[in-house]
Amino acid sequence: MNTTSEVTAATRRSIGFIGLGHMGGPMAANLVAAGYTVTGFDVVPAALEAAHAAGVVVAASAGEAATGADVVITMLPAGKHVFAAYDGDGPGGGLLAAAKPGSLFLECSTIAVEDARIAHEMVLATRHRGLDAPVSGGVVGAEAGSLTFMVGGSADDFADAAEIFEVMGKRIVHCGGPGAGQAAKVCNNMILGVSMIAVSEAFVLGEKLGLTHQALFDVAANASGQCWSLTANCPVPGPVPASPANRDYQPGFAGALMAKDLGLAVEALNATGVQASMGRAAEEIYRNFAQEGGSGTDFSAIINTIRAASD
């Protein structure tokens, strides 16, 4: 939590925020609540309305949101959207052209590692500064200001951005140079996807063997099977009341996003030549899951696909 003196200092630093959806909207709202002046833009009118209600100054274009800003934050679906926002020639121009010299760009989208490195080069080429800083924690973390930021870029820029990250998150890790934040994100989410499939398969097996969900949870949560997919996002209702399984698998972290992130992981596997049979299998499973109706449900709903295939 910022002290009074920190909040006063924050008001002298303006922020342009591009992408005010389920993640970006709450992140921008937390910055406003901490005393920052935030000017935002999104292509979805409802997102702009919600941001305005939270105190964000609404701009007519991305370029307008970046004009005069000390810090520019992007939270967009994919690398191509980041490139278009940075270098676009639409109304208001691109962010790089609109921002004042030396602005700090915080690229918080989840994109390919190579795309993050290209975006960083674009920022430097236009005499700005930049960090790739994807997040973990989902919508709940964005709303609570408890996200984890995985950051790539220079140590000086990381230190300069620290007070901003600390408003939106509770754990901020400097992972290395440009692209390192995205590298950490794809590795982490490959673990997450594989572990959720394993946990779901174990619960379905337990059902077939006559175990109650609670009995299996009580054992695995306190033994070597313990993991976040079990103890925080348990795929069956009951043992973890806050898990999406208790809300008919409303996300949370949507199946479409897990499919996307595992696709980025496979892209990185192919680029590096790493042999990773579990990561590739998880990508195929979640790609099919998203294509067959699971895209809008929490990724833990994969248990229903496993259960249906086990009858």
Side-chain angles (χ1 to χ4, degrees):
M1 178 63 69
N2 287 327
T3 65
T4 301
S5 62
E6 288 172 332
V7 171
T8 300
T11 62
R12 297 196 296 268
R13 204 171 191 197
S14 61
I15 297 174
F17 206 117
I18 316 303
L20 300 168
H22 295 303
M23 295 293 294
M27 292 164 67
N30 285 332
L31 289 166
V32 171
Y36 288 88
T37 299
V38 181
T39 302
F41 177 74
D42 197 285
V43 296
V44 178
L48 289 176
E49 292 174 9
H52 177 70
V56 174
V57 178
V58 172
S61 69
E64 182 181 311
T67 300
D70 300 299
V71 178
V72 178
I73 301 175
T74 45
M75 177 61 83
L76 299 168
K80 64 181 180 181
H81 302 105
V82 175
F83 297 154
Y86 276 12
D87 206 25
D89 57 4
L95 301 178
L96 297 176
K100 65 183 182 181
S103 296
L104 179 60
F105 279 72
L106 306 181
E107 213 304 282
C108 295
S109 319
T110 297
I111 62 178
V113 176
E114 185 58 28
D115 284 351
R117 291 172 177 158
I118 292 171
H120 186 80
E121 291 171 0
M122 293 172 66
V123 168
L124 295 185
T126 48
R127 301 186 181 279
H128 299 301
R129 299 171 296 136
L131 298 168
D132 54 284
V135 304
S136 180
V139 175
V140 172
E143 292 173 345
S146 61
L147 295 168
T148 294
F149 284 86
M150 295 149 274
V151 187
S154 76
D156 287 345
D157 290 341
F158 176 74
D160 188 32
E163 67 174 26
I164 296 171
F165 289 138
E166 287 166 2
V167 170
M168 300 182 289
K170 69 176 182 180
R171 184 168 179 79
I172 300 94
V173 181
H174 186 207
C175 300
Q182 295 293 348
K185 177 67 183 286
V186 298
C187 291
N188 177 79
N189 279 22
M190 187 169 72
I191 295 171
L192 179 61
V194 170
S195 65
M196 180 55 77
I197 293 168
V199 169
S200 297
E201 289 178 346
F203 270 107
V204 174
L205 176 60
E207 292 167 2
K208 296 291 187 182
L209 296 174
L211 286 173
T212 67
H213 293 159
Q214 191 64 53
L216 178 55
F217 178 86
D218 288 344
V219 170
N222 295 283
S224 54
Q226 191 279 329
C227 62
W228 189 92
S229 293
L230 174 68
T231 58
N233 216 78
C234 186
V236 296
V240 180
S243 76
N246 297 282
R247 306 187 305 273
D248 197 28
Y249 298 98
Q250 298 176 36
F253 184 52
L257 294 178
M258 176 54 80
K260 169 200 166 184
D261 288 1
L262 287 170
L264 294 175
V266 167
E267 186 176 323
L269 292 171
N270 292 338
T272 57
V274 172
Q275 196 284 328
S277 57
M278 298 302 294
R280 294 179 190 278
E283 187 276 333
E284 181 179 3
I285 289 169
Y286 271 106
R287 175 164 32 91
N288 292 334
F289 174 69
Q291 292 173 348
E292 295 169 4
S295 62
T297 62
D298 190 76
F299 80 111
S300 61
I302 194 69
I303 191 171
N304 293 327
T305 299
I306 295 167
R307 190 180 286 121
S310 303
D311 289 340

